[in-house]
Amino acid sequence: MAAPSAASRPALPPRGRMAADRGRRMLGMCGMHPDHQEALKRNRVVLAKQLLLSELLEHLLEKDIITLEMRELIQARVGSFHQNVELLNLLPKRGPQAFEAFCAALRETKQAHLEDLLLTTLSDLQHVPTPLSCDYDLRLLFPVSESCRPLKQPRLSADPMEHSLDSGDGPPCLQVKPCTPEFYQTHRQMAYRMQARTRGLALVLSNVRFTGEKDLEFRSGGDVDHSTLVTLFKLLGYDVHILHDQTAQEMQEKLHSFAQLPAHRLTDSCIVALLSHGVEGAIYGVDGKLLQLQEVFRLFDNANCPSLQNKPKMFFIQACRGDETDRGVDQQDGKSQAGSPGCEESDASMEGLLKTRLPTRSDMICGYACLRGTAAMRNTKRGSWYIEALARVFCERACDMHVADMLVEVNALIKEREGYAPGTEFHRCKEMSEYCSTLCRHLYLFPGQPPT
């Protein structure tokens, strides 16, 4: 349900604005004012514990306080506390406007209590502070209901997009439950080998800022998904590679380079997560051009990536597969049954062959955020429904459940989720995730096992 907007901070009086102008002229092109540095220092622990970076980093990036490389450095840290510390280390070096822009970003991301803490400390230092500029809209953003799209300029394209959902708090702090030695010993024989200290290489590719003629909107909350997956995969023992805002051509080239890395020979598995806008069978680059998912899978198949032959390869696709919103249906009384159709087998004789033959594509499992032809749902504070559910299930059940069964658990969570936006087409909207698999054994991740 939409929450009322917080009261706006009163505008500065003319004398305050004059003082601010004088302060900015005095600072010139020097570094951050010593009083601002001291205010950050005195509140460092509180900020490190309480900051929510998901949207705040985008505001700082927009105001040129941090660069894309700095954002990537921050998001590469494991855990929200360490990410916050990295930002606090960078801020004092980012020029005289950094403190002012940081406070404005706190206000704009509903963290005004932290801004008040900094300004109170600044006042206590008994120096003339540099009041905040009045050029910003001082009102807190008005949150919309979970399944409403945020207000934006009319789109000229009918291309499907994830729906941006705005209720909820920030991303959760992740913690993966370790596998017990007993479970590992009793299940490892029936499963894919998962013994390397570094389980494998993981690639998280996230497109959030789009250009070009398609008029694809900014994927607010996409950075939350990105940070969640980077943290999750690191906790599961993967060496995580990160890519931001790639064109379709860049995605193809860098996925090819990733698939050809020699390090795959020394590992037991591989993960590729693609987060972007999309259509059925393809995802968008930031230039509005499409990369076909079949091309992605081809790069990692047995013919093109021999280093990963007979090793499990996991793909997670957070993108729309159409523009249709799942309206859901009312459940009727009575049980529903699904039959299992039979199938025929045809085994080729292997006699006389010198080498074991493999199908061109095998040992893959791919999770999709939504069904064919439908739109995926995303929350600008907590990230997408699918990635949030994926992280929750993998943290809780990777210790004793194989990946295919975990994706069934993810499906169950997504099935139960429902949008709330009375009076709009998205009220009680639904989403349904799915996966497809050519795995040939159980894929257990065995977090923490075997002991190193």
Side-chain angles (χ1 to χ4, degrees):
M1 181 178 294
S5 175
S8 301
R9 190 178 304 280
L12 293 171
R15 182 174 298 178
R17 288 196 291 271
M18 291 174 62
D21 291 339
R22 286 198 301 271
R24 282 191 285 273
R25 285 196 297 269
M26 290 175 62
L27 285 174
M29 295 303 293
C30 301
M32 181 180 284
H33 192 287
D35 290 349
H36 296 166
Q37 294 187 40
E38 184 64 22
L40 289 171
K41 180 180 177 183
R42 292 191 184 187
N43 295 288
R44 185 178 177 87
V45 174
V46 174
L47 291 169
K49 289 181 177 179
Q50 296 187 19
L51 275 175
L52 298 176
L53 292 189
S54 58
E55 187 179 348
L56 186 136
L57 289 180
E58 299 303 325
H59 285 274
L60 295 179
L61 190 63
E62 187 178 77
K63 302 176 194 300
D64 292 323
I65 300 302
I66 62 172
T67 64
L68 286 170
E69 291 75 16
M70 291 174 181
R71 182 182 69 175
E72 183 172 323
L73 176 65
I74 292 168
Q75 293 176 335
R77 302 299 182 193
V78 177
S80 60
F81 182 85
H82 295 292
Q83 290 180 0
N84 293 343
V85 167
E86 187 66 36
L87 174 62
L88 294 172
N89 289 340
L90 288 171
L91 277 177
K93 309 170 187 176
R94 300 306 299 161
Q97 303 302 320
F99 183 84
E100 178 178 313
F102 179 59
C103 288
L106 289 173
R107 184 167 62 250
E108 292 163 357
T109 57
K110 307 189 186 87
Q111 301 179 73
H113 64 292
L114 296 178
E115 181 201 13
D116 292 338
L117 191 65
L118 289 171
L119 295 181
T120 299
T121 303
L122 200 58
S123 177
D124 291 343
L125 292 173
Q126 296 185 355
H127 289 281
V128 178
T130 303
L132 298 180
S133 168
C134 292
D135 293 335
Y136 303 110
D137 181 358
L138 298 181
R139 295 171 296 171
L140 290 175
L141 296 178
F142 192 86
V144 298
S145 300
E146 180 162 2
S147 58
C148 287
R149 294 182 183 178
L151 295 176
K152 59 185 181 68
Q153 295 297 319
R155 293 180 61 247
L156 302 178
S157 168
D159 290 309
M161 322 190 63
E162 296 168 292
H163 298 313
S164 186
L165 308 175
D166 287 343
S167 73
D169 299 317
C173 182
L174 302 183
Q175 186 173 359
V176 172
K177 290 183 179 179
C179 173
T180 64
E182 295 77 16
F183 185 88
Y184 173 71
Q185 291 299 332
T186 56
H187 289 78
R188 66 186 182 92
Q189 295 298 332
M190 68 181 74
Y192 283 101
R193 183 185 188 277
M194 199 66 68
Q195 298 178 5
R197 183 172 183 179
T198 299
R199 292 294 196 244
L201 305 185
L203 175 66
V204 180
L205 189 158
S206 177
N207 292 336
V208 296
R209 293 180 180 274
F210 294 81
T211 60
E213 298 178 357
K214 289 293 184 181
D215 191 32
L216 298 169
E217 69 178 8
F218 172 70
R219 294 183 63 250
S220 182
D223 58 323
V224 180
D225 288 343
H226 175 268
S227 297
T228 296
L229 290 184
V230 168
T231 300
L232 175 66
F233 296 155
K234 285 183 177 180
L235 292 174
L236 290 171
Y238 286 82
D239 178 10
V240 182
H241 295 233
I242 297 168
L243 289 174
H244 286 290
D245 292 340
Q246 304 289 299
T247 66
Q249 182 65 29
E250 288 171 340
M251 288 194 294
Q252 199 278 337
E253 292 172 353
K254 292 179 181 179
L255 282 164
H256 176 267
S257 297
F258 177 77
Q260 298 303 311
L261 289 175
H264 287 302
R265 300 192 192 99
L266 306 176
T267 60
D268 294 330
S269 61
C270 175
I271 298 176
V272 175
L274 304 177
L275 318 173
S276 188
H277 290 304
V279 296
E280 171 55 29
I283 61 170
Y284 280 108
V286 295
D287 55 350
K289 297 181 180 179
L290 289 167
L291 174 65
Q292 298 297 319
L293 291 177
Q294 289 303 316
E295 172 62 15
V296 176
F297 301 144
R298 186 190 68 81
L299 294 173
F300 294 86
D301 67 21
N302 293 323
N304 293 286
C305 189
S307 297
L308 288 173
Q309 286 181 358
N310 297 312
K311 298 177 182 180
K313 296 160 280 287
M314 292 167 271
F315 299 86
F316 301 104
I317 313 298
Q318 174 57 47
C320 286
R321 302 173 71 188
D323 57 1
E324 193 174 316
T325 301
D326 188 343
R327 304 300 306 142
V329 297
D330 293 332
Q331 179 175 312
Q332 302 298 315
D333 294 335
K335 297 180 180 179
S336 60
Q337 297 180 350
S340 298
C343 61
E344 298 181 1
E345 295 183 359
S346 177
D347 296 329
S349 172
M350 301 302 293
E351 293 183 12
L353 297 181
L354 298 178
K355 292 185 178 180
T356 300
R357 298 283 290 176
L358 293 172
T360 303
R361 187 175 299 172
S362 65
D363 306 290
M364 292 183 177
I365 187 166
C366 182
Y368 294 94
C370 56
L371 300 179
R372 182 189 301 266
T374 64
M377 300 294 164
R378 173 170 33 88
N379 182 296
T380 61
K381 303 301 178 189
R382 293 158 51 188
S384 66
W385 290 10
Y386 181 67
I387 299 302
E388 183 181 8
L390 191 78
R392 174 179 168 184
V393 172
F394 275 52
C395 283
E396 290 289 324
R397 301 308 305 270
C399 61
D400 61 2
M401 184 178 284
H402 59 75
V403 169
D405 277 358
M406 284 195 286
L407 292 181
V408 172
E409 292 285 310
V410 171
N411 287 351
L413 289 178
I414 297 296
K415 177 185 174 183
E416 295 302 316
R417 194 158 181 176
E418 184 174 292
Y420 182 80
T424 76
E425 63 175 308
F426 303 115
H427 186 47
R428 303 199 67 187
C429 70
K430 303 292 290 185
E431 177 178 308
M432 191 63 233
S433 55
E434 68 172 344
Y435 73 92
C436 61
S437 173
T438 58
L439 294 180
C440 303
R441 312 193 77 182
H442 287 160
L443 173 51
Y444 288 100
L445 300 180
F446 297 130
Q449 295 295 330
T452 54

